[in-house]
Amino acid sequence: EAQVTQNPRYLITVTGKKLTVTCSQNMNHEYMSWYRQDPGLGLRQIYYSMNVEVTDKGDVPEGYKVSRKEKRNFPLILESPSPNQTSLYFCASSSVPAVNTGELFFGEGSRLTVL
Amino acid sequence: GQNIDQPTEMTATEGAIVQINCTYQTSGFNGLFWYQQHAGEAPTFLSYNVLDGLEEKGRFSSFLSRSKGYSYLLLKELQMKDSASYLCAVRDGNSGNTPLVFGKGTRLSVIA
């Protein structure tokens, strides 16, 4: 089954404790991206990657890191989480042609709470 | 900058037709997209418009007017399962590298 898998789905952590949210897709997609979704603000892009070893900042990259060492994986790293990073996070992927037509495939989301 | 506006909430009756509007102001334009998101779930892709006019896909249609910076999503024969948030998104650059910018979404409630 074609899917984008995120882990963990739910996490409560404390300020300053490094964490990684993993994202993996099995569709051989070149494009992968991370979004955060907050009430009243909608979906905002954090980082994206057009292919292996190629990453770029989105609209809200501060406090986050990513890496793209393999095509299927695109982990989101919070080196020192803060309460304002409490949010619902979505990973998305797409093939290059589908990116042009805006068809993103989203993971199920990871709800992160930073105390 | 980028600005995408859509109503926060709408309510409609089962079996009826509803139109969800989206206006945008971007420096460039390379496509307008609609996504559906049920509560607690991931967004799913509905439609893509890059030229003016109406794109129909079953019960859902999407319209675009580039000169007016305006789009709407039309849902016909509403069903209870259509209760969801509908997200309008725009790409304001000229390549697939340019990220989508999402509006805040319209929460649609379908009532009996």
Side-chain angles (χ1 to χ4, degrees):
Chain A
E1 180 188 352
Q3 58 187 4
V4 179
T5 304
Q6 298 178 222
N7 279 296
R9 295 285 317 280
Y10 302 91
L11 179 65
I12 300 174
T13 189
V14 295
T15 299
K17 186 176 180 183
K18 181 179 178 180
L19 68 93
T20 299
V21 186
T22 64
C23 175
S24 180
Q25 50 93 5
N26 63 359
M27 295 169 278
N28 201 35
H29 284 165
E30 296 87 0
Y31 178 90
M32 297 186 75
S33 180
W34 277 102
Y35 288 86
R36 60 179 289 175
Q37 188 172 37
D38 302 288
L41 295 176
L43 275 167
R44 294 179 293 166
Q45 191 175 54
I46 303 170
Y47 269 95
Y48 66 99
S49 168
M50 289 301 293
N51 215 324
V52 175
E53 301 291 0
V54 180
T55 63
D56 281 294
K57 295 178 181 179
D59 293 325
V60 287
E62 297 78 18
Y64 304 95
K65 287 173 59 178
V66 292
S67 68
R68 189 89 182 275
K69 294 186 173 63
E70 307 163 283
K71 198 173 190 180
R72 63 182 294 129
N73 296 323
F74 190 45
L76 179 70
I77 302 156
L78 286 73
E79 292 272 4
S80 183
S82 61
N84 65 10
Q85 293 179 297
T86 293
S87 187
L88 177 60
Y89 291 87
F90 287 101
C91 179
S93 75
S94 186
S95 64
V96 168
V99 161
N100 289 326
T101 58
E103 187 170 2
L104 301 176
F105 295 87
F106 284 84
E108 303 223 334
S110 295
R111 187 166 291 282
L112 171 65
T113 301
V114 183
L115 301 175
Chain B
Q2 305 147 337
N3 192 34
I4 301 174
D5 285 316
Q6 47 182 135
T8 304
E9 293 188 41
M10 299 182 71
T11 301
T13 305
E14 193 176 15
I17 299 173
V18 71
Q19 178 175 311
I20 302 174
N21 296 325
C22 171
T23 58
Y24 63 90
Q25 293 173 308
T26 55
S27 52
F29 180 81
N30 192 28
L32 186 136
F33 314 88
W34 286 95
Y35 279 76
Q36 179 190 59
Q37 185 178 22
H38 285 100
E41 297 183 11
T44 55
F45 175 79
L46 286 178
S47 68
Y48 160 64
N49 295 69
V50 69
L51 299 177
D52 291 352
L54 190 68
E55 295 282 342
E56 296 186 76
K57 195 186 287 188
R59 293 189 299 113
F60 293 9
S61 302
S62 56
F63 171 83
L64 174 66
S65 168
R66 288 173 295 169
S67 61
K68 295 181 180 176
Y70 168 69
S71 171
Y72 67 73
L73 181 68
L74 193 71
L75 292 75
K76 303 176 186 175
E77 301 169 16
L78 277 173
Q79 302 175 8
M80 300 300 283
K81 67 178 182 180
D82 297 329
S83 293
S85 288
Y86 292 86
L87 314 180
C88 174
V90 175
R91 174 176 288 129
D92 74 351
N94 294 319
S95 75
N97 287 13
T98 311
L100 301 186
V101 178
F102 284 84
K104 297 174 184 177
T106 298
R107 187 182 309 156
L108 174 66
S109 299
V110 180
I111 58 176

